Amino acid sequence: MHGSRISTCARRGLAAVVAAGSLLTVLTTATPAAAGSASTPVDGSKVVCTSQQPGLAPALSQDIADALHGREGASALAIYDRRTRTHCEFQAGAHFDSASVVKVTVLAALLRQTEEAHRKLTPHEVRLTTAMITKSDNDATTALWRRVRPAGVQHFLSLAGMRHTVPGPHGAWGLTQITAGDQLKLMELLTTDNRVLTAASRGYALDLMHQVVPDQRWGVPAGAPDGASVHVKNGWLPRKTNGWRVNSVGTFNGHGNDYGMAVLSTGSHTMDDGVTTVERAARVIHRDLTH
């Protein structure tokens, strides 16, 4: 083909390609060739960001690195922003004890089971799921874990593409091994049309995450923009080795916002130290994505 003229066949071929692409079920943020990419070293690893918004990738990678530099223990994070087509990772494939953030996965696995059984949640399941997410009730989680069973959790993980998550052994759901990358996939799945969970199931999960009790709304909501609808689930767990595990995952939607993040940490001397690590990262992410 020469010059600027495009044949009718070529136009039709291009239209077919565009149409086919529009039919794809998107479970992860679309990432066309990035307008910018950047990586910033921090404590032996790198914060890597890509973005379609000029200047955002280097700003985010540097600010996240500064926020995490010198913090006690180890941390990991992953973020997406659909508006600017931004994605950042820091040790996103490293495994951490889940603590209570796994409760979103338990909920999603239960919802998938109800869909496959063509039934609604029972009133008892509604009470259990509400207590599990909004109050982080452990007894409710144990009851639901037994109901879904590890095989049911694994079934959902496979469908969701969360290939690096390993359900906790012998009923120890809080010791499920998670990664920031997989937790971000879950946040994306809850906020995107897909074949794993229906719109009704996703709406139910997000509504519960929006209703988390006030004293558990720390973590990734720190610094969230005014007007954004915040959906969060936190986890905290002290162990004899490597101190506190403090994790936080969430999504931020509405008023022009459409992004999510997962921030995981281990090895903090106190819970407050772990919360500070998570919130230092969250604050700079919110600031850079919304200003």
Side-chain angles (χ1 to χ4, degrees), residues 8-40:
T8 300
C9 289
R11 289 194 188 96
R12 288 174 178 170
L14 179 60
V17 170
V18 172
S22 67
L23 294 176
L24 291 176
T25 299
V26 181
L27 291 182
T28 56
T29 306
T31 53
S37 61
S39 64
T40 304

Coordinates of all heavy atoms in Angstrom, one line a residue, residues 8-40:
T8 N -10.7 -0.2 0.6 CA -11.9 -0.6 1.3 C -11.7 -1.9 2.1 O -12.1 -2.0 3.2 CB -13.0 -0.8 0.3 OG1 -13.3 0.4 -0.4 CG2 -14.3 -1.3 1.0
C9 N -10.9 -2.8 1.5 CA -10.7 -4.0 2.2 C -9.9 -3.8 3.5 O -10.1 -4.4 4.5 CB -9.9 -5.0 1.3 SG -10.9 -5.7 0.0
A10 N -8.9 -2.9 3.4 CA -8.1 -2.6 4.5 C -8.9 -1.9 5.6 O -8.8 -2.2 6.8 CB -6.9 -1.6 4.1
R11 N -9.9 -1.0 5.2 CA -10.7 -0.4 6.2 C -11.6 -1.4 6.9 O -11.8 -1.4 8.1 CB -11.6 0.7 5.5 CG -10.9 1.9 5.0 CD -11.9 3.0 4.7 NE -11.2 4.1 4.0 CZ -11.1 4.3 2.7 NH1 -11.7 3.4 1.9 NH2 -10.5 5.3 2.2
R12 N -12.1 -2.3 6.1 CA -13.0 -3.4 6.7 C -12.2 -4.3 7.6 O -12.6 -4.7 8.7 CB -13.6 -4.2 5.5 CG -14.7 -3.5 4.8 CD -15.1 -4.3 3.6 NE -16.2 -3.7 2.9 CZ -16.7 -4.1 1.7 NH1 -16.1 -5.2 1.1 NH2 -17.6 -3.4 1.1
G13 N -10.9 -4.6 7.2 CA -10.1 -5.4 8.1 C -9.8 -4.7 9.4 O -9.8 -5.3 10.5
L14 N -9.5 -3.4 9.3 CA -9.2 -2.6 10.5 C -10.5 -2.5 11.4 O -10.4 -2.7 12.6 CB -8.8 -1.2 10.1 CG -8.5 -0.2 11.3 CD1 -7.4 -0.8 12.1 CD2 -8.2 1.2 10.7
A15 N -11.7 -2.3 10.8 CA -12.9 -2.3 11.5 C -13.1 -3.6 12.2 O -13.6 -3.7 13.4 CB -14.1 -2.0 10.6
A16 N -12.8 -4.7 11.6 CA -13.0 -6.1 12.2 C -12.1 -6.2 13.4 O -12.5 -6.8 14.4 CB -12.7 -7.2 11.2
V17 N -10.8 -5.8 13.2 CA -9.9 -5.9 14.4 C -10.4 -5.1 15.5 O -10.4 -5.5 16.7 CB -8.5 -5.4 13.9 CG1 -7.6 -5.3 15.1 CG2 -7.9 -6.3 12.9
V18 N -10.9 -3.8 15.3 CA -11.4 -3.0 16.3 C -12.6 -3.6 17.0 O -12.7 -3.7 18.2 CB -11.7 -1.6 15.8 CG1 -12.4 -0.8 16.9 CG2 -10.5 -0.9 15.4
A19 N -13.5 -4.1 16.2 CA -14.7 -4.8 16.7 C -14.4 -6.0 17.6 O -14.9 -6.2 18.7 CB -15.6 -5.2 15.6
A20 N -13.4 -6.8 17.1 CA -13.0 -8.0 17.9 C -12.4 -7.6 19.2 O -12.7 -8.2 20.2 CB -12.1 -8.8 17.1
G21 N -11.6 -6.5 19.2 CA -11.0 -6.1 20.4 C -12.0 -5.6 21.4 O -11.8 -5.8 22.6
S22 N -13.1 -5.0 20.9 CA -14.1 -4.4 21.8 C -14.9 -5.5 22.5 O -15.5 -5.2 23.5 CB -15.0 -3.5 21.1 OG -15.8 -4.2 20.2
L23 N -14.8 -6.7 22.0 CA -15.6 -7.8 22.6 C -14.9 -8.5 23.7 O -15.4 -9.4 24.4 CB -16.0 -8.8 21.5 CG -17.0 -8.3 20.5 CD1 -17.2 -9.4 19.4 CD2 -18.3 -7.9 21.1
L24 N -13.6 -8.2 23.9 CA -12.8 -9.0 24.9 C -13.3 -8.6 26.3 O -13.5 -7.5 26.6 CB -11.3 -8.6 24.7 CG -10.6 -9.1 23.5 CD1 -9.2 -8.6 23.4 CD2 -10.6 -10.6 23.4
T25 N -13.4 -9.6 27.1 CA -13.7 -9.4 28.5 C -12.4 -8.9 29.2 O -11.4 -9.6 29.2 CB -14.2 -10.7 29.2 OG1 -15.3 -11.1 28.5 CG2 -14.4 -10.4 30.7
V26 N -12.4 -7.7 29.8 CA -11.2 -7.1 30.4 C -11.2 -7.4 31.9 O -12.0 -6.9 32.6 CB -11.2 -5.6 30.1 CG1 -9.9 -5.0 30.7 CG2 -11.3 -5.3 28.6
L27 N -10.3 -8.2 32.3 CA -10.1 -8.5 33.7 C -8.9 -7.7 34.3 O -8.8 -7.6 35.5 CB -9.8 -10.0 33.9 CG -11.0 -10.9 33.7 CD1 -10.7 -12.4 34.0 CD2 -12.2 -10.5 34.5
T28 N -8.1 -7.2 33.4 CA -7.0 -6.4 33.9 C -7.0 -5.1 33.1 O -7.6 -5.0 32.0 CB -5.6 -7.1 33.7 OG1 -5.5 -7.5 32.3 CG2 -5.5 -8.3 34.5
T29 N -6.4 -4.1 33.6 CA -6.4 -2.8 32.9 C -5.7 -2.9 31.6 O -4.6 -3.4 31.5 CB -5.6 -1.8 33.8 OG1 -6.2 -1.8 35.1 CG2 -5.7 -0.4 33.2
A30 N -6.4 -2.3 30.6 CA -5.7 -2.3 29.2 C -4.5 -1.5 29.3 O -4.4 -0.4 29.9 CB -6.7 -1.7 28.2
T31 N -3.4 -2.0 28.6 CA -2.2 -1.3 28.7 C -1.6 -1.1 27.3 O -0.7 -1.9 26.9 CB -1.2 -2.0 29.6 OG1 -1.1 -3.4 29.1 CG2 -1.6 -2.0 31.0
P32 N -2.1 -0.1 26.5 CA -1.4 0.2 25.2 C 0.0 0.7 25.5 O 0.4 0.9 26.6 CB -2.3 1.3 24.7 CG -3.6 1.3 25.5 CD -3.2 0.8 26.8
A33 N 0.7 0.9 24.4 CA 2.1 1.4 24.6 C 2.1 2.6 25.5 O 1.4 3.6 25.2 CB 2.7 1.7 23.2
A34 N 2.8 2.5 26.5 CA 2.8 3.5 27.6 C 3.4 4.8 27.1 O 4.4 4.8 26.4 CB 3.5 3.0 28.8
A35 N 2.8 6.0 27.5 CA 3.5 7.2 27.2 C 4.7 7.4 28.0 O 5.6 8.2 27.6 CB 2.5 8.4 27.5
G36 N 4.8 6.7 29.1 CA 6.0 6.8 29.9 C 6.1 5.6 30.8 O 5.2 5.0 31.2
S37 N 7.4 5.3 31.2 CA 7.6 4.3 32.1 C 8.8 4.7 32.9 O 9.7 5.5 32.5 CB 7.9 2.9 31.4 OG 9.0 3.0 30.5
A38 N 8.9 4.2 34.1 CA 10.0 4.6 35.0 C 10.2 3.5 36.1 O 9.2 2.8 36.5 CB 9.7 5.9 35.7
S39 N 11.4 3.4 36.6 CA 11.6 2.5 37.7 C 12.6 3.2 38.7 O 13.5 3.9 38.2 CB 12.3 1.2 37.3 OG 13.5 1.4 36.7
T40 N 12.3 3.1 40.0 CA 13.1 3.7 41.0 C 13.5 2.7 42.0 O 12.6 2.0 42.6 CB 12.3 4.8 41.7 OG1 11.8 5.8 40.7 CG2 13.2 5.6 42.7

